Every structure is written in C-alpha cells, then in structure tokens.
Amino acid sequence: MKDYLPYAAGALAGLLVAFLMSGLLGLTETPQLVLFALLPAVGGAVVERVCHRRPNNS
C-alpha cells in the first residue's frame, strides 16, 4: 500500500491543477473532460517516477 502513495499524491496534485485550470480558463465540455482525464494520470505518473528515481529510495 505504501508504494501507491507517490502516485496517489501526484494524482491529487494533478486533479487540483485541473480544477484550477478549468476554473481560470472557463473550460467546458470536451476540453474540460480531457483535462480531468489527463492531468491526474500524468501527475501521478510523474511523481511516482521521480520518487522511484531517488537513490535513497531503494
């Protein structure tokens, strides 16, 4: 379960960024759907990869 924590944190950060961008840019319908589909997944993947690349995380 501990191994999923970096991905979950990144997904949450991606979701928050998606909410911010959607609100600031006034996105609706398809662009908003794409934003909410991609950013949490990409955020989770990036944070997980960064955490697993750190040398003290073996």
Side-chain angles (χ1 to χ4, degrees), residues 4 18 21-22 25-26 34 38 41 44 46 49:
Y4 292 109
M21 288 181 67
S22 177
L25 299 176
V34 170
L38 291 179
V46 168
R49 182 170 289 245

Side-chain angles (χ1 to χ4, degrees), residues 24-49:
L24 290 174
L25 299 176
L27 299 176
T28 59
E29 297 178 10
T30 304
Q32 186 179 32
L33 181 64
V34 170
L35 191 70
F36 278 98
L38 291 179
L39 281 181
V42 170
V46 168
V47 171
E48 184 180 31
R49 182 170 289 245

Side-chain angles (χ1 to χ4, degrees), residues 3 5-8 10 41-55 57:
D3 292 335
L5 192 59
Y7 182 83
V42 170
V46 168
V47 171
E48 184 180 31
R49 182 170 289 245
V50 167
C51 285
H52 286 294
R53 279 193 179 184
R54 289 191 356 221
N57 234 7

Side-chain angles (χ1 to χ4, degrees), residues 7-18:
Y7 182 83
L12 180 63
L15 186 62
L16 292 174
V17 170

